[in-house]
Amino acid sequence: MARIPTAAVAATGLVGGYGVARWTKKRQLGGAVLAVAGAAAAQQWRQRAGGKAAGALTAAYVAAFAGSHPLAKKVGAWPAVFGVAGAVAAASWAVADRRGS
C-alpha cells in the first residue's frame, strides 16, 4: 500500500476542516475533520520522525489553525487557510517526509 505523505494529511486536515465547517455551517463537523486528520498526521509523524518532532509538528498544526483566524481578517478566509496549510505541509515534509523511510 502506498504511503500518503504526512504533509498531505496535515494540509488536507486544515483545508478540509475549514471547508466542511463552511459548507455545512456546522463548526463541530469541521473541527472533527481537523482533529481526525491531525491525529492521523501526529501518529505518522511519531513513526517517521520520532516523538520530539511529532510534538513540534503537532504544535505547529494547532498554531496554524489558531493563527488562521486573525490572518483571515487581513487576507481573507481561504487565503489564510491555504497559507497556514502550506506552511504546515512544508514543515511536515522537511521533518518527516523528505527522507522517505
Side-chain angles (χ1 to χ4, degrees):
M1 178 185 270
R3 289 175 22 141
I4 298 171
T6 62
V9 175
T12 300
L14 290 160
V15 173
Y18 175 69
V20 167
R22 180 173 174 140
W23 290 317
T24 65
K25 301 199 183 329
K26 299 200 182 305
R27 296 178 75 183
Q28 299 87 345
L29 191 54
V33 170
L34 179 82
V36 168
Q43 181 181 23
Q44 291 177 353
W45 290 328
R46 193 175 312 108
Q47 291 171 348
R48 295 179 189 182
K52 282 186 181 180
L57 289 168
T58 300
Y61 185 82
V62 172
F65 167 70
S68 68
H69 292 81
L71 183 59
K73 293 179 193 245
K74 296 180 187 276
V75 299
W78 280 112
V81 170
F82 285 130
V84 300
V88 169
S92 181
W93 178 83
V95 173
D97 295 332
R98 180 173 44 174
R99 285 182 294 236
S101 47

